[in-house]
Amino acid sequence: MPRTVLMIGSEAVPFSKTGGLADVLGSLPSAIARLGWDVTLVVPRYRGVIDGTSVGRLALKVGGYLCEPAFFEVPLGAGGEVPLVTGGRILLVDVPDLFDRDSIYGAGADYADSPRRFAVLARAAFEWCAARGTRPSIVHAHDWQGGLAAVYLKTFYAAHPVLGGVPSVFTIHNLAYQGLAEPDWLPRLDLPWSLFGVEGLEFWGRISLLKGGINSADLVTTVSPTYAREIQTPAFGAGFDGILRRRSEDLVGILNGIDVERWNPASDPHIPQPYTADDLTGKRAAKRAVLEQFKLPVDTAMSRPLVGLISRMVEQKGFDLLASLADELPVLDASFVVLGTGEPRYQDFWTSMARRHPDSIAVRIGFDEPLSHLIEAGADVFLMPSKFEPCGLSQMYSLRYGTLPVVRAVGGLADTVVNYAPGTRRRANGFVFDAATPEALLDALTRALAVFGQPRVWQRLQGVGMRQDHSWHRSAREYVRMYERLLRLRT
Ligand code: ADP
């Protein structure tokens, strides 16, 4: 019998993306399929997605809400540069009433019917399996939007002839997003009131779909070993540390990989000239292109370090620390290019910085994937001063593009970036600071800019990062090992 995994999540490249989860679900399924597993990833078919072959529809009723999800299938790896993977598919679930909307989750706050949207996603996935009599070996659900999948397996489907007893894995990509809703959603999701307790979904008088996932899954994983430890402490646990400590035996940290095909300076279609660790000429061409795109003075800026920042503009990413450095950043001997969207106060901060310092700071408010590739290639330094960082992908892209990351020592940043200090650490590949303070951030950035003036050291650090293996292959092997462990426990 082939081993099969049914993955359920809310966004996946190339169909939908608001953050790192989409990158993970765009890559991990293929990497697992390459290890011999049959993988089905189920994600919503949001507005604008036209991909997929129609493969059927079914009638579904969730807590009195009637709908008729239609399923569109895309082979895993379709459209990418990686060869198509046999034994893998993405099922896009089309329920226009729920998913054909202006934005993926809602502007500012989640859509009021979010519990229903993701309940329907999970139930559609399960009913698809049930209708075909195909029992997955493992269900692997992601983030709060996938939490209900684990809950349904332990409740609604516990005695189901096809799905009863299927073990589940729940992966936390970011504990800050908890899927909170009013308790009266329980009956509207076909869930019993008995789940409104500390062992179930109850969280400070409301329900949390994230908590449902954590408490119901057989194994819980998160996206870096350091974050797995951190979230069991009050400082990083966002109120969930006690819940996670109770499950510490079943909590595993597996570092994300990156899509090394899509993020490859030797073949990136979004940069003017390819380059490798052995020949960095193309990186200068990318720097010139970035400066031109951002209308910074090319002649002066080419010889100064270029600091890049691509991020959601939220406190998690350290934007409050950066906002405290309004006077210090412009006097550094560096130029800054910033790409992001997020909280208006941080957008306004960077817009006004760019207006006041047009020769050294430029900003683009918006989400622009091609431009993000160009910045990763063209910048010398990548700034990621996160308060917390479950894994972080951008610092790994930076390493691969020879762009030295300046990061805070938290979560996956601590697991991937090794600080450079003169005379130490042969594996150093960037600059790391500890305290979540503007001073510590400025100190690390200043250290980086000083080393930029020592080209031989700089190139050595670039070489270390560019030659590291951040591919999904290693992570996928760890996931498969974990799936197999879970199946052994069950037999
Ligand atoms: P998170 O998932 O917390 O936002 P990650 O570093 O794990 O952080 O992943 C962020 C991803 O989103 C990266 O691929 C990054 O390049 C991308 N990204 C963030 N903001 C933008 C933007 N404004 N335009 C293009 N890509 C962006």
Side-chain angles (χ1 to χ4, degrees):
M1 278 286 285
R3 302 287 207 196
T4 57
V5 56
L6 175 70
M7 286 211 187
I8 300 173
S10 56
E11 51 181 280
V13 164
F15 310 106
S16 45
K17 172 164 168 172
T18 67
L21 170 64
D23 292 296
V24 174
L25 291 183
S27 300
L28 179 61
S30 315
I32 289 177
R34 279 197 197 90
L35 295 173
W37 278 63
D38 182 281
V39 185
T40 301
L41 168 66
V42 181
V43 288
R45 196 173 197 243
Y46 295 109
R47 176 171 295 175
V49 181
I50 51 162
D51 312 65
T53 311
S54 170
V55 287
R57 57 171 65 227
L58 47 79
L60 184 63
K61 190 169 163 195
V62 176
Y65 176 82
L66 277 169
C67 59
E68 209 182 327
F71 294 79
F72 292 81
E73 184 172 324
V74 183
L76 265 189
E81 289 158 32
V82 199
L84 284 184
V85 181
T86 51
R89 68 207 59 77
I90 298 166
L91 281 181
L92 297 158
V93 177
D94 193 29
V95 185
D97 180 39
L98 299 179
F99 300 131
D100 182 10
R101 297 189 181 173
D102 287 343
S103 63
I104 291 185
Y105 302 123
D110 288 331
Y111 290 120
D113 61 351
S114 288
R116 171 177 297 137
R117 299 175 82 214
F118 297 106
V120 164
L121 180 72
R123 291 277 294 281
F126 290 139
E127 293 302 325
W128 178 260
C129 295
R132 273 154 196 73
T134 50
R135 175 187 169 86
S137 315
I138 300 264
V139 167
H140 187 169
H142 297 265
D143 268 352
W144 71 261
Q145 297 90 342
L148 286 172
V151 175
Y152 282 133
L153 278 178
K154 286 284 188 299
T155 54
F156 197 82
Y157 294 105
H160 191 276
V162 176
L163 295 156
V166 172
S168 58
V169 175
F170 180 66
T171 297
I172 302 166
H173 297 260
N174 191 338
L175 200 58
Y177 299 94
Q178 305 173 342
L180 298 175
E182 295 314 313
D184 63 5
W185 268 103
L186 284 171
R188 291 192 279 158
L189 302 174
D190 292 330
L191 294 173
W193 276 106
S194 59
L195 285 177
F196 191 57
V198 284
E199 306 278 298
L201 279 72
E202 193 270 336
F203 190 71
W204 300 102
R206 305 179 77 194
I207 59 168
S208 157
L209 307 192
L210 179 83
K211 182 171 176 182
I214 295 170
N215 278 342
S216 307
D218 294 284
L219 276 181
V220 179
T221 79
T222 187
V223 290
S224 70
T226 298
Y227 193 60
R229 284 191 299 277
E230 288 171 344
I231 56 179
Q232 298 180 57
T233 66
F236 289 92
F240 284 74
D241 46 297
I243 298 159
L244 288 158
R245 277 198 301 279
R246 272 207 302 280
R247 300 231 48 192
S248 65
E249 298 267 291
D250 306 316
L251 176 60
V252 185
I254 300 178
L255 194 67
N256 282 338
I258 57 172
D259 184 332
V260 292
E261 304 295 327
R262 204 173 268 131
W263 293 92
N264 183 359
S267 60
D268 192 327
H270 304 301
I271 66 176
Q273 187 183 327
Y275 64 92
T276 63
D278 296 321
D279 181 0
L280 289 160
T281 322
K283 190 162 171 63
R284 282 189 70 73
K287 182 170 179 174
R288 182 175 290 277
V290 175
L291 295 171
E292 281 167 358
Q293 281 239 9
F294 277 90
K295 301 197 167 43
L296 285 170
V298 175
D299 289 343
T300 47
M302 275 308 282
S303 56
R304 313 166 79 192
L306 177 62
V307 181
L309 185 56
I310 305 166
S311 183
R312 292 184 289 118
M313 292 183 165
V314 295
E315 201 180 309
Q316 179 206 330
K317 300 293 182 180
F319 275 78
D320 55 332
L321 301 183
L322 292 163
S324 314
L325 294 171
D327 297 329
E328 289 80 358
L329 296 180
V331 297
L332 293 172
D333 185 23
S335 318
F336 291 81
V337 287
V338 180
L339 168 64
T341 53
E343 289 181 33
R345 58 182 165 149
Y346 298 132
Q347 295 186 172
D348 294 346
F349 169 78
W350 281 105
T351 308
S352 107
M353 288 284 274
R355 208 172 25 239
R356 279 186 287 139
H357 308 282
D359 287 344
S360 59
I361 299 178
V363 62
R364 185 79 52 86
I365 302 297
F367 195 94
D368 188 334
E369 178 101 26
L371 186 58
S372 75
H373 284 245
L374 185 63
I375 295 173
E376 286 287 8
D380 300 297
V381 172
F382 191 86
L383 201 48
M384 212 160 158
S386 305
K387 281 258 158 64
F388 65 93
E389 194 58 73
C391 176
L393 298 169
S394 298
Q395 84 279 12
M396 290 193 267
Y397 301 151
S398 303
L399 290 169
R400 190 154 164 77
Y401 280 71
T403 305
L404 300 196
V406 172
V407 305
R408 182 155 174 257
V410 283
L413 298 174
D415 291 331
T416 50
V417 183
V418 180
N419 185 51
Y420 170 75
T424 58
R425 312 293 290 271
R426 277 186 36 241
R427 303 304 303 157
N429 57 10
F431 302 87
V432 180
F433 63 97
D434 280 309
T437 62
E439 294 76 23
L441 161 55
L442 189 63
D443 175 69
L445 184 55
T446 309
R447 281 190 281 128
L449 300 182
V451 178
F452 184 78
Q454 305 166 40
R456 283 193 36 216
V457 181
W458 193 263
Q459 276 164 25
R460 178 159 60 79
L461 299 182
Q462 286 180 306
V464 171
M466 291 183 82
R467 292 190 175 92
Q468 280 169 338
D469 177 10
H470 294 289
S471 73
W472 270 105
H473 184 65
R474 203 199 54 199
S475 319
R477 284 220 319 256
E478 284 189 56
Y479 277 104
V480 163
R481 223 174 287 137
M482 182 196 60
Y483 292 165
E484 282 166 355
R485 185 179 123 207
L486 191 52
L487 291 178
R488 268 198 309 278
L489 288 175
R490 283 304 181 99
T491 50

